[in-house]
Amino acid sequence: MLRTTARYALILLLALAAVITTAAGGHAQQPAAATPATVKVLTIERQPFAMRQGGKLVGFSVELWQEVARELGIRSEFEVMTSFGDMLQGVATAKADAAIANITITSEREKTLDFSQPMFDAGIQVMVHADGGATGLFGALFNWEMLGLVVLAGLLLFVVANLMWWFEHRDQPYFQYPYGEGMWRAFWWALNVMVNGGFEERVPQTRKGRVFAVFLVIASLFLVSAFVAKITASLTVGELKSQIQSYRDLFNRRVGTTEGSTSAAFLDRHNVPYRKFTSMPALLRAIESKELDAVVHDAPVLAYYANTAGKGRVRLVGSVLRPEKYGIALPSGSTRREGIDRALLRIREDGRYDELYRKWFGRSP
């Protein structure tokens, strides 16, 4: 009996030791808690959505994503891309987890990307030179080209007056004055002939004077017509520049936008010729240097530039050509989409979205 009891006790002790050893070994092999992965977010410098200030990346898109990350409890890091296409390609190929900027949600992009719910209401608009809308008689007459024509016309009248005084000052009583007084009379006579086509009360008396007067009357028909046509053309161009209301007003203008943008697609769809630029800074330099007559691009980007760095040099005209909505781009099938959508809704509901909007655009959305 004692042997049997001892045997059972030994078996029980061995089993207990095995359990303890297994538990200890399992505990030792338990992996440490995994550190949350850092979410890689792409963007591009487009004021006021993303830009560098004092070596720090700031902007509406940057701060909106920071609020989203805070809601989701994730860590993230930004990478600034050099082109819009590279940014979208980086997300489409899953080299990054998301992209946030002035990214328009389109059916074409949806083929290779997923989008969050809209984060910004925008559209396409036109920007021109600040002096591009000078209209009316003042705008048509008071410019360097018209001033040059007026000076040229004055010199022509001066030459005509000298010739007529030289031909007639001995035979026509109207011109029989010393050079100083006679020139004023001759100038007035020439002006009447050029504008009215004749000066019947002061008919030239010499043969040379009459031949010259006939030539002058005929020439005046062409010269005056050309001068009036020039003024009319200036008035018409001025009116056109100030009345860009739709894409139809962009024909026969030097138009520019960035390649691969929704603005470029819009212009292509409506057969509007335009010049492509690889970057936004190059496009803005072209409009300021007057290489272009108009820029077609995202309205918020153009409005911010027109009110900051381009103030007094450029201005927006017309209404929005086509409304658009921006979204956060994600790899196709991303599991983060629902969480991001919920975060965006909470940010809108508690007023943080409105605060960010006012901070960067000066008004409520």
Side-chain angles (χ1 to χ4, degrees), residues 153 156-157 160 187-199 216-225 227-228:
L156 178 61
L157 287 173
V160 169
F187 190 88
W188 179 251
W189 180 90
L191 182 62
N192 273 272
V193 170
M194 293 289 288
V195 175
N196 300 323
F199 199 169
L216 188 61
V217 169
I218 296 173
S220 69
L221 296 175
F222 297 97
L223 293 173
V224 172
S225 297
F227 199 74
V228 171

Side-chain angles (χ1 to χ4, degrees), residues 20-257:
I20 293 172
T21 302
T22 302
H27 179 74
Q29 294 174 3
Q30 183 71 24
T35 302
T38 300
V39 175
K40 184 178 181 180
V41 183
L42 305 182
T43 190
I44 189 170
E45 289 195 54
R46 292 283 172 84
Q47 299 179 350
F49 291 94
M51 53 190 170
R52 296 190 185 278
Q53 286 185 355
K56 183 180 179 182
L57 190 64
V58 297
F60 177 82
S61 293
V62 174
E63 295 187 17
L64 180 62
W65 176 262
Q66 289 169 347
E67 292 296 333
V68 170
R70 194 172 292 116
E71 281 289 326
L72 298 178
I74 59 176
R75 295 190 307 171
S76 58
E77 63 178 15
F78 279 98
E79 181 178 348
V80 180
M81 307 300 288
T82 56
S83 75
F84 208 89
D86 289 344
M87 175 179 65
L88 297 182
Q89 184 65 20
V91 178
T93 56
K95 293 179 180 178
D97 300 294
I100 186 168
N102 55 320
I103 306 172
T104 303
I105 302 172
T106 67
S107 58
E108 186 64 28
R109 290 173 178 172
E110 184 67 36
K111 294 177 182 178
T112 57
L113 298 166
D114 275 350
F115 284 97
S116 69
Q117 64 167 279
M119 68 167 203
F120 196 94
D121 292 325
I124 296 172
Q125 202 165 359
V126 181
M127 185 172 71
V128 298
H129 310 293
D131 59 350
T135 60
L137 187 60
F138 184 88
L141 291 179
F142 293 93
N143 57 66
W144 289 111
E145 185 177 6
M146 291 305 299
L147 179 60
L149 290 175
V150 169
V151 171
L152 184 61
L155 291 174
L156 178 61
L157 287 173
F158 179 75
V159 172
V160 169
N162 271 276
L163 289 173
M164 187 52 67
W165 179 84
W166 177 258
F167 293 146
E168 296 291 318
H169 75 281
R170 294 186 181 89
D171 300 284
Q172 168 58 263
Y174 180 76
F175 296 105
Q176 289 176 352
Y177 288 88
Y179 180 77
E181 179 65 23
M183 273 304 302
W184 280 112
R185 288 171 167 265
F187 190 88
W188 179 251
W189 180 90
L191 182 62
N192 273 272
V193 170
M194 293 289 288
V195 175
N196 300 323
F199 199 169
E200 297 179 1
E201 295 83 356
R202 301 291 184 263
V203 177
Q205 300 298 313
T206 65
R207 181 176 297 178
K208 290 181 181 179
R210 289 175 179 177
V211 171
F212 183 67
V214 170
F215 170 79
L216 188 61
V217 169
I218 296 173
S220 69
L221 296 175
F222 297 97
L223 293 173
V224 172
S225 297
F227 199 74
V228 171
K230 180 60 183 176
I231 294 176
T232 303
S234 297
L235 285 168
T236 303
V237 170
E239 285 298 319
L240 287 173
K241 286 182 177 178
S242 66
Q243 294 181 0
I244 298 177
Q245 299 296 330
S246 72
Y247 70 90
R248 296 179 182 86
D249 301 317
L250 295 173
F251 290 98
N252 300 319
R253 312 277 178 92
R254 296 175 301 169
V255 180
T257 191

Side-chain angles (χ1 to χ4, degrees), residues 274-286:
Y274 66 95
R275 181 178 165 190
K276 296 179 182 179
F277 289 81
T278 57
S279 68
M280 197 65 191
L283 178 63
L284 296 176
R285 285 194 298 270

